[in-house]
Amino acid sequence: MRLKEKVAIITGTGRGIGKSIAKVFAKEGAKVVACDRDLGTGQAGVDAIVANGGEAIFVKCDVSIEENVKNLIAKAIETHGRIDILVNNAGVNFVKKFEEVEPEDWDRVINTDLRGTYLCTRLAILEMLKTGAGSIINIGTIHSLACMAGAAPYDAAKWGVVGLTKSVAVEFADRNIRANVLSPGLIATQIWEDIKAAAPSIEEAMKYWKANIPMGRPGKPEEIAYLAVFLASDESSYITGSNILADGGLTSLLISKEPFESKSIEGQ
Ligand SMILES: NC(=O)c1ccc[n+]([C@@H]2O[C@H](COP(=O)([O-])OP(=O)(O)OC[C@H]3O[C@@H](n4cnc5c(N)ncnc54)[C@H](O)[C@@H]3O)[C@@H](O)[C@H]2O)c1
């Protein structure tokens, strides 16, 4: 077990990537403190972990609200006495023309994705300093390397998450607290269901994404969870301040495949 006895707070565990991280962390022996703003899905995920012999508690928490985050940290300390790992996974996104992005749209994304990451990180670090060790994993995105039209608040928030992570990594490196960004490509969570539903057909959606993802498929939540295990564990003891991609090669592709066969081209 790669995380035996480690106390891990994971945010946004109600579904998708966060749910998978909580499940895999518990399987690897972590004492999971799961949180979500949605009580129903969050509690159900934790019940499933416990039913399978894992150790987990659920705390209802909106990470953008300081009082909620204080309560989350207090519950973790009350239950386990320390915090070894924090995974800032809770995130929201939407696609909208920039001219139509209202201040409340902006605040909604920035408040969860960036302010929530700051709030959880600061309060967790205050506890990690007491034990003299910690690993923080902030879930970023490939949008933290390049941007997509219509996603300005998300892109700004996630670039901010990278800056925050690097700053924390540098400031706490000599106190044995590491911080890294884990940036997924397209992962088969609700967003992938929404993409398929919006396409003229599932075949069209698959054709487009096959041409744009060298591995030809979206990632699975567990493929992100196992990278999070590595970053949370002592196996990654010399890694801090990094932004690590798990994107099936998406950001290594210069342009998507040409729709026609070109004859070979030789430079003179
Ligand atoms: N799925 C992808 O393709 C993809 C790609 C790159 C990055 N990411 C990032 O991974 C993370 C998870 O994505 P996902 O696809 O699993 O999302 P999702 O929408 O399926 O799940 C997000 C979970 O977070 C919870 N949540 C949202 N706002 C919250 C808040 N303020 N406080 C507490 N909980 C909150 C939701 O209730 C939900 O359970 C996000 O940070 C997202 O930006 C996802």
Side-chain angles (χ1 to χ4, degrees):
M1 284 191 181
R2 296 159 73 194
L3 299 177
K4 199 164 169 42
E5 298 299 316
K6 301 262 189 196
V7 178
I9 294 184
I10 304 157
T11 70
T13 59
R15 66 182 199 187
I17 294 171
K19 183 176 181 180
S20 183
I21 293 175
K23 190 175 156 191
V24 170
F25 272 37
K27 213 166 113 190
E28 292 294 338
K31 297 167 192 265
V32 170
V33 179
C35 92
D36 203 283
R37 63 179 177 190
D38 184 320
L39 175 63
T41 56
Q43 186 63 57
V46 160
D47 290 347
I49 289 172
V50 173
N52 278 314
E55 191 168 347
I57 59 165
F58 176 73
V59 183
K60 186 178 181 315
C61 169
D62 182 329
V63 297
S64 66
I65 301 171
E66 189 183 6
E67 283 311 309
N68 281 202
V69 177
K70 279 184 176 162
N71 181 53
L72 169 69
I73 301 291
K75 282 273 156 52
I77 296 300
E78 194 183 298
T79 313
H80 300 296
R82 62 177 206 280
I83 298 164
D84 301 308
I85 299 159
L86 167 68
V87 184
N88 283 303
N89 165 78
V92 289
N93 186 14
F94 63 83
V95 176
K96 208 186 226 188
K97 285 183 183 154
F98 185 64
E99 307 92 284
E100 294 168 9
V101 173
E102 299 292 344
E104 51 271 27
D105 297 323
W106 176 265
D107 289 346
R108 189 161 56 84
V109 175
I110 299 290
N111 284 347
T112 289
D113 297 20
L114 186 53
R115 178 182 156 84
T117 299
Y118 147 72
L119 286 173
C120 294
T121 299
R122 179 171 169 268
L123 292 176
I125 278 181
L126 291 175
E127 295 302 328
M128 290 171 174
L129 286 171
K130 293 177 192 166
T131 55
S135 178
I136 298 166
I137 297 136
N138 294 328
I139 304 300
T141 165
I142 47 172
H143 290 233
S144 68
L145 292 184
C147 296
M148 206 177 91
Y154 185 67
D155 293 349
K158 294 288 189 177
W159 279 66
V161 165
V162 174
L164 169 65
T165 309
K166 287 182 180 288
S167 187
V168 164
V170 167
E171 195 163 337
F172 293 94
D174 63 354
R175 282 172 281 179
N176 204 25
I177 296 173
R178 299 183 295 112
N180 291 290
V181 181
L182 192 177
S183 283
L186 178 61
I187 306 301
T189 64
Q190 185 57 44
I191 196 168
W192 174 235
E193 298 306 317
D194 296 345
I195 287 170
K196 285 188 289 185
S201 68
I202 291 181
E203 292 70 34
E204 285 287 311
M206 289 305 295
K207 200 172 141 201
Y208 175 77
W209 286 102
K210 267 192 162 186
N212 281 283
I213 302 173
M215 287 186 77
R217 62 170 176 88
K220 300 176 201 148
E222 310 84 70
E223 291 175 306
I224 302 305
Y226 278 102
L227 179 51
V229 169
F230 169 69
L231 289 173
S233 76
D234 298 336
E235 295 163 17
S236 58
S237 53
Y238 198 55
I239 303 177
T240 197
S242 292
N243 183 3
I244 296 177
L245 296 162
D247 69 351
L250 199 158
T251 52
S252 297
L253 183 67
L254 197 54
I255 52 169
S256 64
K257 288 177 191 127
E258 291 181 74
F260 43 84
E261 291 277 323
S262 62
K263 61 176 183 161
S264 66
I265 298 162
E266 286 177 35
Q268 298 300 313

